[in-house]
Amino acid sequence: FVMGEDTSNPPEAVVPQLEADPYYKLIARIHVPIVIAVFIYIGWFVANTDLSAGGYIASALTAGYIGGHGLNIGHELGHKKNKLDQWLAKIVLAPAAYGHFFVEHNRGHHKMVATPEDPASSKMGENIYSFALRELPNAIIRAAKIEHTRLTKEGKNPFSLRNEFIQTLTMTLVFYIAMGLWLGPEVVPYLFIAAFWSMWQLTSANYIEHYGLLRQKLPSGRYERPQPHHSWNSNHIFSNWALFHLQRHSDHHANATRAYQSLRHFDNLPSFPNGYFGMFSVAYIPWLWFKVMDKRLVEVVDGDLNQINMLPSKQEKLVAKYQLTRQ
């Protein structure tokens, strides 16, 4: 918050150079072995150090934050077209037991974002805890279905290692079993606590990124193409540095293959009053989140109920409170 915002954009003339510059690719790729090494080291530490229960949990939560950072790296690399980056994405997702994200995010969330059918898009009136109970299991189910359908259509065995859902699940199982055999039963609670806390970082981001925003259905029955105004945006400098410009989410969803270093700010977008880390803290207190964001959402859509992805059970109350109409 103190460092403020940066709304500047790279000139379009230099974007091809930015996208091709190996420096930015290296920065993302080098985080993969760092995340894996730190996760393994903290596992070794908790298994070989006489810790109090609080010390053990604190160490596992620290690893969970590292795993959450790994999920963000996996997000960036998973959008790349080359096989190296795709495999690096799968590897860095493994410690968090969230490899299915590689499938679900690219071919599920990006397709259905800002619609009632998307478990990774939160609805107006939905708090982060009920959202997590809906999003976490449904993300796994959707990833499994996507890969089963893809391979079946291609005439291939969906129960083989060609299945990227099974691939990533196997990577996590091998990683966890190896850690258990090496370090013993003392490391097992660490693995589960760290994995859960890693997932919670991603769920926190998913919750805030599209809160209440809704794409319109076309006469054909399909949804309109994702536009920048279907995501909440933030230009806060510190958290954009930490998150590889994930907060410029509006441009990311409108142009999914655009690299983090060339993501753009657009004027008149749905915008957060703080960076992601600040907004996470607000989201964890539901009444405060609703107080801050519901009014902002209504202003963004100019009170048009047709542009709000709303929790059905809260619709009557919210329509009356904010005097929403169908325009």
Side-chain angles (χ1 to χ4, degrees), residues 10 12 15 18-19 245 248 251 258-264:
E12 284 300 306
V15 166
L18 275 175
E19 298 266 342
H245 276 187
R248 287 195 167 181
D251 195 17
R258 199 174 180 96
Y260 72 90
Q261 65 269 24
S262 55
L263 290 173
R264 297 161 294 181

Side-chain angles (χ1 to χ4, degrees), residues 142-159:
R142 182 161 68 175
K145 287 181 177 178
I146 287 171
E147 273 299 272
H148 188 279
T149 300
R150 178 182 72 86
L151 290 168
T152 300
K153 284 183 177 179
E154 293 177 1
K156 298 173 182 174
N157 182 5
F159 300 103

Side-chain angles (χ1 to χ4, degrees), residues 268-297:
N268 303 316
L269 285 177
S271 298
F272 288 133
N274 206 330
Y276 272 27
F277 301 138
M279 297 312 296
F280 288 175
S281 301
V282 174
Y284 299 155
I285 308 171
W287 70 264
L288 181 59
W289 173 264
F290 296 144
K291 183 178 178 64
V292 171
M293 290 302 299
D294 283 359
K295 183 179 179 181
R296 189 171 287 253
L297 172 62

Side-chain angles (χ1 to χ4, degrees), residues 96-110:
Y98 219 75
H100 62 275
F101 177 77
F102 179 82
V103 175
E104 191 279 331
H105 178 79
N106 293 338
R107 286 178 270 151
H109 176 58
H110 268 263

Side-chain angles (χ1 to χ4, degrees), residues 34-36 38-39 42 61-71 198 201:
I34 292 173
V35 167
I36 300 295
V38 172
F39 200 92
I42 299 179
L61 292 178
T62 300
Y65 279 116
I66 299 299
H69 179 67
L71 291 177
S198 299
Q201 311 312 305

Side-chain angles (χ1 to χ4, degrees), residues 79-288:
H79 276 291
K80 299 295 181 285
K81 297 299 184 184
N82 67 80
K83 290 295 183 182
L84 172 61
D85 285 333
Q86 290 181 1
W87 275 105
L88 288 173
K90 294 175 187 177
I91 290 168
V92 81
L93 294 171
Y98 219 75
H100 62 275
F101 177 77
F102 179 82
V103 175
E104 191 279 331
H105 178 79
N106 293 338
R107 286 178 270 151
H109 176 58
H110 268 263
K111 180 180 179 181
M112 300 305 296
V113 64
T115 69
E117 292 85 355
D118 182 32
S121 295
S122 59
K123 303 175 181 182
M124 184 183 189
E126 183 176 32
N127 68 58
I128 190 170
Y129 305 106
S130 59
F131 170 76
L133 291 173
R134 177 171 68 89
E135 185 244 355
L136 286 168
N138 281 302
I140 297 172
I141 293 168
R142 182 161 68 175
K145 287 181 177 178
I146 287 171
E147 273 299 272
H148 188 279
T149 300
R150 178 182 72 86
L151 290 168
T152 300
K153 284 183 177 179
E154 293 177 1
K156 298 173 182 174
N157 182 5
F159 300 103
S160 69
L161 284 178
R162 291 176 182 268
N163 185 315
E164 291 182 310
F165 174 78
I166 294 175
Q167 262 181 32
T168 55
L169 177 63
T170 301
M171 290 167 71
T172 293
L173 288 174
V174 169
F175 182 73
Y176 279 23
I177 290 169
M179 290 280 284
L181 292 174
W182 173 40
L183 297 169
E186 293 84 0
V187 81
V188 174
Y190 160 81
L191 293 172
F192 284 99
I193 295 169
F196 169 76
W197 201 240
S198 299
M199 296 176 193
W200 184 250
Q201 311 312 305
L202 181 64
T203 289
S204 299
N206 281 340
Y207 176 73
I208 71 171
E209 285 168 345
H210 307 282
Y211 178 76
L213 299 172
L214 180 65
R215 284 158 59 198
Q216 300 301 296
K217 267 194 175 179
L218 302 173
S220 64
R222 299 171 66 90
Y223 284 100
E224 63 178 314
R225 185 180 182 277
Q227 300 294 326
H229 63 269
H230 294 130
S231 305
W232 290 94
N233 216 54
S234 174
N235 287 297
H236 286 81
I237 295 171
F238 178 83
S239 38
N240 259 328
W241 283 352
L243 295 171
F244 288 74
H245 276 187
L246 178 68
Q247 299 178 148
R248 287 195 167 181
H249 213 63
S250 296
D251 195 17
H252 169 68
H253 266 279
N255 302 279
T257 59
R258 199 174 180 96
Y260 72 90
Q261 65 269 24
S262 55
L263 290 173
R264 297 161 294 181
H265 158 77
F266 297 100
D267 293 328
N268 303 316
L269 285 177
S271 298
F272 288 133
N274 206 330
Y276 272 27
F277 301 138
M279 297 312 296
F280 288 175
S281 301
V282 174
Y284 299 155
I285 308 171
W287 70 264
L288 181 59

